[in-house]
Amino acid sequence: MTFRRISGGPSSSQVLQTLNHKIQINMDFFDKFKIWVVLICFISQLGHGFYLPGSYPHKYVVGDQLSVKVNSLTSIDTEIPYSYYSLPFCTPPEGVKDSRENLGELLMGDRIENSPYKFNMYTNETEIFLCQTKPLSGEEYKLLTNRIDEIYQVNVILDNLPAIRYTKRDSYFVRWTGYPIGIKVDGGYYLFNHLKFTVLVHKYEETNVASVMGTGDATDVIPTGRKSGSDEPGYMVVGFEVTPCSVRHNPESVKNLKTYGKYPSKITCEDNTVNMAIKENEPVSFTYEVAFVESDIKWPSRWDAYLKMEGAKVHWFSILNSLMVITFLAGIVLVIFLRTVRRDLTHYEELDKEAQAQMNEELSGWKLVVADVFRAPSNPGLLCVMVGNGVQILGMAVVTIMFAALGFMSPASRGTLVTGMLIFYMVLGISAGYVAVRMWRTLFCGDHRGWVSVSWKVACFFPGIAFLILFVLNFLLWGSHSTGAIPFSLFVILILLWFCISVPLTFVGGYFGAKAPHIEYPVRTNQIPREIPPQKYPSWLLVLGAGTLPFGTLFIELFFIMSSIWMGRVYYVFGFLFVVLILLVVVCAEVSLVLTYMHLCVEDWKWWWKSFFASGSVALYIFLYSINYLVFDLKSLSGPVSATLYLGYSFLMVLAIMLATGTVGFLSSFWFVHYLFSSVKLD
């Protein structure tokens, strides 16, 4: 994933001066309309400078209050998120408040809430007392021990940055986001009840920018009350680290302490020792400390620590090697294929009419199925619906990856990737309706009757299956009281978006498809179908085997995508993913073309569905890979609920991939067959 790096914010006057200067220099290259568009974009950003999509820098002066937020508790052992306050932790004095979340965050199970942890900019503090819980009940004790056994992590956020924890392994440090609730040692359960925070800050010299510039996550930032023109230097948060410790507090020392009071004795935070054993009917005390460290890390680079991956060289080398091999194989297949077909056509066209007629009688091959090759397939309506949905899904994937590669969907803006996918999918309903209805009219030689029914089926096929799967999985999450469960109100919103945006746009596309001219077949179709001779090998065996080549283009990249979804890692190479997607489309088209030509050469004119599944069979191998990943990489995944969630989401992903890749194969084969039989005139 490539992120757009954002430099410090220039003032509005500087922006306009620079713009006017550039306009004067480049007047010969821009017309007046473009100039006014740029001016409007800049003027709309008056007061806080102009920034590209992503996160805006926040300037804090010394003493400004910084509030830490908490996200859902997560675990790679169960993949079921829970609310932070589902455990007996300290609550803020002002009460628990939810942050405003977008559609993507809610669907991903994020629940961002305020926390009792509060800092003052560039003010180091130690031995800060938070609270002492009530004596743990039997239910609370069992819940805590279960969460520790399931390796749940606490996710805290400061200035939109998740906390990073560093652990030493052999001679190097490993980065983790969040920190564990506790640890089990020698049969006893120990809680991390003291947190040592380290905030990395970078000096911000620009004085004519607003003291605090908001983002989507900055609605709760407390204003400084200082004028933006103040000469007082400010700082930006460029790093957030946490070290959890297990410390046994003296119960007598905290009796009279209030929240944010000073703990009377020194607290030593040692991450390699544990002392706070949790026991039933005993309270737990929580404390923390914070240290500010000035860093050379600049604002645009503050996410680099999250994007660094162990084994990055192996990652890039493996993908590049795979791309080179697949490109080479695809090139060979394409060259051989084109030369064979071109030589066949050239040889046929050189013959006179008598020789052509004699060859039609004596030779076998694709020329003998001329009267059957465009015979309507079985279940033509279903084929049109699946192709329409495939166009919609493929278009959504291409547009989403392009926007992500350009930096419009950075990890600083949580949930924007999922939100963008939903929006693009709904808008592209117009293309799904158009392609499905036009294909329907082509199959029935221009008859437009039934286009409304086709449009309705297109609008409901894939979304209906997705809603059914999510609804069933949601019942499991509801039963587990997980934050991953989609709220009922959100279900209502999704249904309204579906019926108010996606369905109407699909009907609009279907209307234009019904009005568009259908594709004329170059040859006539006989009323009596030709008998297909016995085949040496089962045709569907070749179709299923054809998916191996497209799978080879993405199986390495698939590992990193699966790791980002199920192992909590950040996936960021969207630019390279876009290249892989293009290569996948090319290979799917070539594989389907080759299989279609092979079937026609053995006089098998039922190529419609086989061309779809020749490339769509890659989904079968992806599903098998998903099972392999579950068994060998997620072997710690516990419980039938977690396994059911994994398989359910994997099936939904595989279905979308099958529709997209199958559509590529079918449309390319349809174009090839139409071109092939329109190049030769046969009676």
Side-chain angles (χ1 to χ4, degrees):
M1 180 164 66
T2 55
F3 292 98
R4 194 174 298 280
R5 303 200 165 193
I6 308 171
S7 59
S11 65
S12 303
S13 59
Q14 290 175 332
V15 169
L16 291 175
Q17 289 175 3
T18 305
L19 180 63
N20 290 331
H21 179 65
K22 289 185 177 180
I23 290 175
Q24 293 175 1
I25 295 176
N26 300 293
M27 186 64 72
D28 295 335
F29 301 97
F30 297 97
D31 56 24
K32 294 181 179 180
F33 175 74
K34 293 182 179 179
I35 294 174
W36 279 107
V37 170
V38 177
L39 280 172
I40 291 172
C41 292
F42 275 83
I43 293 173
S44 65
Q45 299 294 327
L46 286 174
H48 59 265
F50 178 74
Y51 293 91
L52 293 171
S55 179
Y56 298 95
H58 303 166
K59 175 192 171 185
Y60 303 98
V61 297
V62 176
D64 281 349
Q65 192 176 89
L66 307 178
S67 297
V68 176
K69 297 184 179 182
V70 290
N71 204 344
S72 300
L73 306 173
T74 56
S75 169
I76 61 174
D77 190 62
T78 65
E79 302 294 349
I80 302 176
Y82 290 100
S83 171
Y84 174 82
Y85 293 106
S86 64
L87 296 180
F89 291 146
C90 298
T91 57
E94 67 274 16
V96 178
K97 299 178 182 178
D98 292 332
S99 296
R100 290 188 298 177
E101 294 162 328
N102 57 43
L103 185 62
E105 287 178 296
L106 293 174
L107 291 174
M108 294 174 63
D110 289 342
R111 295 296 183 273
I112 301 175
E113 300 164 308
N114 60 332
S115 78
Y117 300 103
K118 297 187 184 299
F119 313 147
N120 293 319
M121 172 56 76
Y122 225 117
T123 304
N124 297 339
E125 296 179 281
T126 58
E127 291 90 35
I128 305 174
F129 175 75
L130 271 185
C131 76
Q132 185 181 50
T133 66
K134 297 177 181 179
L136 297 177
S137 64
E139 185 178 349
E140 290 175 333
Y141 173 79
K142 184 179 179 180
L143 187 61
L144 268 175
T145 55
N146 286 341
R147 295 292 181 263
I148 293 174
D149 285 334
E150 293 166 344
I151 322 176
Y152 268 87
Q153 303 284 314
V154 179
N155 301 290
V156 291
I157 303 169
L158 174 65
D159 194 47
N160 212 29
L161 280 179
I164 286 184
R165 174 174 57 96
Y166 290 93
T167 58
K168 191 172 184 180
R169 181 179 296 176
D170 297 331
S171 59
Y172 60 92
F173 285 93
V174 180
R175 292 176 294 273
W176 307 87
T177 54
Y179 64 91
I181 295 173
I183 190 172
K184 184 179 181 180
V185 179
D186 297 330
Y189 291 91
Y190 295 85
L191 186 70
F192 291 123
N193 62 328
H194 179 83
L195 301 180
K196 180 180 179 181
F197 294 105
T198 302
V199 182
L200 306 181
V201 295
H202 186 79
K203 199 166 185 178
Y204 190 73
E205 300 293 346
E206 184 63 46
T207 58
N208 55 356
V209 180
S211 297
V212 177
M213 289 177 289
T215 66
D217 193 35
T219 56
D220 297 332
V221 174
I222 300 176
T224 63
R226 297 172 176 83
K227 296 181 179 179
S228 60
S230 172
D231 293 332
E232 189 172 1
Y235 295 90
M236 296 178 297
V237 177
V238 294
F240 186 37
E241 301 172 5
V242 62
T243 303
C245 303
S246 180
V247 179
R248 167 66 67 175
H249 296 300
N250 186 354
E252 298 297 326
S253 302
V254 300
K255 275 187 176 181
N256 299 321
L257 287 180
K258 295 182 179 180
T259 304
Y260 307 122
K262 183 78 172 179
Y263 190 76
S265 59
K266 182 176 178 58
I267 299 176
T268 303
C269 183
E270 298 178 355
D271 56 358
N272 56 351
T273 60
V274 289
N275 297 307
M276 183 56 215
I278 55 175
K279 297 179 181 179
E280 195 173 341
N281 297 322
E282 288 189 7
V284 179
S285 298
F286 290 88
T287 54
Y288 72 96
E289 60 184 280
V290 58
F292 288 83
V293 178
E294 195 160 344
S295 171
D296 294 331
I297 300 174
K298 296 184 179 180
W299 172 268
S301 304
R302 70 176 194 157
W303 277 91
D304 289 356
Y306 302 87
L307 304 181
K308 291 178 181 177
M309 300 174 60
E310 284 71 27
K313 292 182 179 179
V314 177
H315 171 83
W316 284 101
F317 176 78
S318 299
I319 295 178
L320 184 60
N321 181 66
S322 177
L323 286 173
M324 292 177 63
V325 172
I326 295 300
T327 304
F328 179 71
L329 291 176
I332 292 177
V333 170
L334 185 62
V335 170
I336 294 176
F337 179 66
L338 290 179
R339 288 185 60 185
T340 301
V341 175
R342 186 180 297 274
R343 184 176 63 249
D344 204 1
L345 287 174
T346 303
H347 173 69
Y348 185 82
E349 290 174 351
E350 289 176 353
L351 301 176
D352 55 21
K353 293 184 178 181
E354 294 183 1
Q356 289 179 12
Q358 183 179 1
M359 192 177 76
N360 285 341
E361 295 178 358
E362 297 178 355
L363 297 181
S364 62
W366 58 269
K367 310 169 200 65
L368 299 181
V369 297
V370 60
D372 298 276
V373 69
F374 290 107
R375 189 179 303 279
S378 58
N379 300 313
L382 179 60
L383 179 62
C384 295
V385 169
M386 294 177 71
V387 170
N389 277 272
V391 169
Q392 189 176 7
I393 294 171
L394 182 63
M396 177 266 294
V398 171
V399 176
T400 302
I401 295 175
M402 285 182 60
F403 273 86
L406 293 173
F408 286 85
M409 298 174 181
S410 72
S413 302
R414 286 179 298 272
T416 55
L417 187 65
V418 177
T419 304
M421 290 173 63
L422 288 174
I423 294 174
F424 296 142
Y425 179 83
M426 290 187 295
V427 171
L428 288 171
I430 191 169
S431 62
Y434 177 84
V435 172
V437 171
R438 193 173 184 195
M439 181 57 61
W440 169 267
R441 294 191 63 219
T442 299
L443 291 176
F444 291 94
C445 301
D447 188 0
H448 68 276
R449 289 177 297 179
W451 74 268
V452 174
S453 176
V454 173
S455 300
W456 175 250
K457 292 176 182 177
V458 171
C460 295
F461 181 73
F462 180 75
I465 296 176
F467 267 101
L468 180 62
I469 294 175
L470 292 177
F471 191 73
V472 173
L473 298 181
N474 220 45
F475 265 110
L476 300 177
L477 293 172
W478 274 335
S480 303
H481 304 286
S482 169
T483 58
I486 302 175
F488 179 77
S489 58
L490 183 57
F491 255 118
V492 174
I493 293 174
L494 291 175
I495 292 175
L496 289 176
L497 290 174
W498 179 15
F499 282 98
C500 296
I501 298 179
S502 182
V503 173
L505 287 178
T506 305
F507 274 96
V508 170
Y511 174 79
F512 285 111
K515 294 296 182 182
H518 70 282
I519 302 174
E520 296 281 353
Y521 292 149
V523 293
R524 293 193 302 266
T525 301
N526 288 342
Q527 293 183 352
I528 302 176
R530 179 187 181 89
E531 183 179 356
I532 300 175
Q535 306 297 319
K536 187 176 182 180
Y537 301 103
S539 59
W540 285 104
L541 186 62
L542 295 175
V543 169
L544 293 178
T548 55
L549 190 58
F551 180 74
T553 65
L554 52 77
F555 82 96
I556 295 179
E557 195 71 17
L558 187 63
F559 169 78
F560 293 96
I561 295 175
M562 298 286 282
S563 298
S564 68
I565 296 175
W566 301 108
M567 302 293 287
R569 299 173 184 172
V570 179
Y571 186 86
Y572 65 96
V573 285
F574 282 104
F576 209 88
L577 181 62
F578 185 71
V579 177
V580 173
L581 178 62
I582 294 176
L583 186 57
L584 175 65
V585 170
V586 173
V587 173
C588 285
E590 292 176 345
V591 165
S592 184
L593 289 181
V594 172
L595 262 293
T596 300
Y597 182 70
M598 290 175 60
H599 284 112
L600 294 179
C601 285
V602 294
E603 303 177 36
D604 185 357
W605 47 266
K606 295 182 178 180
W607 60 272
W608 303 82
W609 282 107
K610 293 171 185 175
S611 66
F612 185 93
F613 287 110
S615 54
S617 62
V618 66
L620 173 64
Y621 297 96
I622 294 177
F623 188 71
L624 294 177
Y625 179 84
S626 300
I627 296 176
N628 174 81
Y629 190 84
L630 172 64
V631 174
F632 295 101
D633 293 276
L634 292 178
K635 47 190 173 184
S636 62
L637 198 66
S638 63
V641 174
S642 300
T644 304
L645 290 172
Y646 175 86
L647 293 175
Y649 290 129
S650 298
F651 177 77
L652 184 60
M653 176 188 70
V654 164
L655 177 62
I657 293 174
M658 184 199 71
L659 293 174
T661 55
T663 296
V664 171
F666 171 77
L667 293 179
S668 59
S669 293
F670 182 83
W671 168 84
F672 164 72
V673 173
H674 190 278
Y675 173 79
L676 180 64
F677 284 90
S678 62
S679 301
V680 172
K681 303 300 181 182
L682 295 172
D683 295 329

